[in-house]
Amino acid sequence: AAGAEVTVKTVAMNGLGLKLSDGDAAAIAANITSGAMTWADGFLVCINLTDSYGATLDNRAEVAHRFLASLSSESTSAYYQGAAAYLAATNLLSGIGASTASLASGELGLDALAARLGSDGIRSTVVDGTINGATVFADADGDGVLGSGEFSTTTDTEGNFVLPADAGGNKIIAYGGTDLMTGLPVAGMLAAPVGSTVVNPITSVLQAIVAGGQSIASAAAALQTALGLPAGINPLSYDPVAVLADGSASAATPTRAPRSRCRPPRHRSRTSSPRPLPPSTRPAVRRGSPPAMP
């Protein structure tokens, strides 16, 4: 029964982005174990525990449909392939809740992803000022440290980098480099879930909340409230530097990074192919490995 309860919680979180209470999970698990309901029945119960769950699924379905249209309008449908690209869309969809603001936020995030897909992968930007020469890696093993076999690259003079569509890991970490606004070296680390088209202090806080066991939707809602972020923006695609650079924009502008910031980076950790080498042939890379990131 205890194993079934854990499985019910896992299915609800991973499948729906919903965090069941211990009591609800135990009740569903008991019915499944006794044969009173099937696993499919249990899944439906999870959806219908509150009306907001149904609204969440409706919102996610609507945004998923819009994402397909965005891929077509951006002419990037052919580039939507590979583990990182699929996980990026999954993470962005799981960040959508039942509210209208969450729906609008999800649309912005997936529109940004559609615009930033390319033949070489997902184009993203490290932003805490404009950071040149930052080391960026996909944390495949989740230990927060750049290790052998993990994809890494460096940002260009606009803070851009490209994550190959088949890169492993659910978390992006950036450290080092130079803040071109101050001319000073960057201390500390930044992180974001795969799917973020920006890596900045906001995504770092969100990633820390997710690492603590919350869903992306819950983490985004908590950030919205705690930081007083404008309604409707998506923390995984909001670029405050782009807002500052746009004289007609305001703090509430639900922007994605402009296309001028979406060029492929000039510096990559390898040049032969945008697809990562197998672990057995990829060299170990430890450029002054940073402290572990949660």
Side-chain angles (χ1 to χ4, degrees):
E5 182 179 333
V6 171
T7 302
V8 168
K9 280 190 167 185
T10 301
V11 168
M13 176 61 77
N14 293 345
L16 302 172
L18 307 173
K19 189 172 183 178
L20 287 177
S21 68
D22 291 342
D24 286 338
I28 295 170
N31 278 286
I32 292 173
T33 302
S34 69
M37 67 169 59
T38 64
W39 279 100
D41 294 332
F43 194 77
L44 291 175
V45 169
C46 289
I47 294 172
N48 292 299
L49 278 173
T50 70
D51 291 340
S52 66
Y53 290 0
T56 294
L57 291 181
D58 285 343
N59 283 351
R60 291 178 183 178
E62 182 176 338
V63 175
H65 180 74
R66 177 188 169 111
F67 177 54
L68 295 177
S70 295
L71 288 171
S72 178
S73 65
E74 296 283 355
S75 300
T76 55
S77 297
Y79 307 136
Y80 180 54
Q81 55 183 323
Y86 298 150
L87 181 58
T90 299
N91 281 344
L92 289 165
L93 286 171
S94 69
I96 299 170
S99 69
T100 302
S102 179
L103 172 65
S105 172
E107 289 175 344
L108 284 171
L110 281 153
D111 283 352
L113 176 62
R116 287 195 155 209
L117 284 173
S119 59
D120 48 358
I122 304 170
R123 298 168 186 170
S124 303
T125 307
V126 178
V127 183
D128 190 12
T130 299
I131 302 178
N132 175 44
T135 297
V136 183
F137 69 97
D139 189 20
D141 57 10
D143 67 354
V145 177
L146 175 57
S148 176
E150 292 179 329
F151 167 80
S152 70
T153 187
T154 56
T155 58
D156 66 12
T157 55
E158 292 185 323
N160 296 324
F161 69 95
V162 176
L163 179 72
D166 57 358
N170 193 27
K171 177 172 60 177
I172 303 167
I173 294 178
Y175 67 95
T178 302
D179 184 342
L180 297 184
M181 298 179 74
T182 64
L184 299 175
V186 176
M189 301 176 66
L190 298 171
V194 169
S196 298
T197 51
V198 291
V199 182
N200 61 24
I202 294 175
T203 63
S204 299
V205 175
L206 186 146
Q207 175 60 44
I209 296 172
V210 170
Q214 296 295 312
S215 67
I216 291 178
S218 297
L223 272 181
Q224 204 89 22
T225 301
L227 301 181
L229 298 177
I233 73 162
N234 192 313
L236 301 183
S237 62
Y238 185 64
D239 184 350
V241 171
V243 173
L244 288 172
D246 184 351
S248 64
S250 70
T253 302
T255 187
R256 71 187 186 200
R259 290 184 182 279
S260 62
R261 295 174 63 88
C262 295
R263 296 195 299 268
R266 300 181 190 56
H267 302 292
R268 293 174 61 93
S269 61
R270 55 182 184 276
T271 59
S272 60
S273 170
R275 306 180 76 83
L277 297 171
S280 60
T281 60
R282 192 182 309 157
V285 180
R286 286 187 178 273
R287 289 167 284 201
S289 296
M293 181 80 183

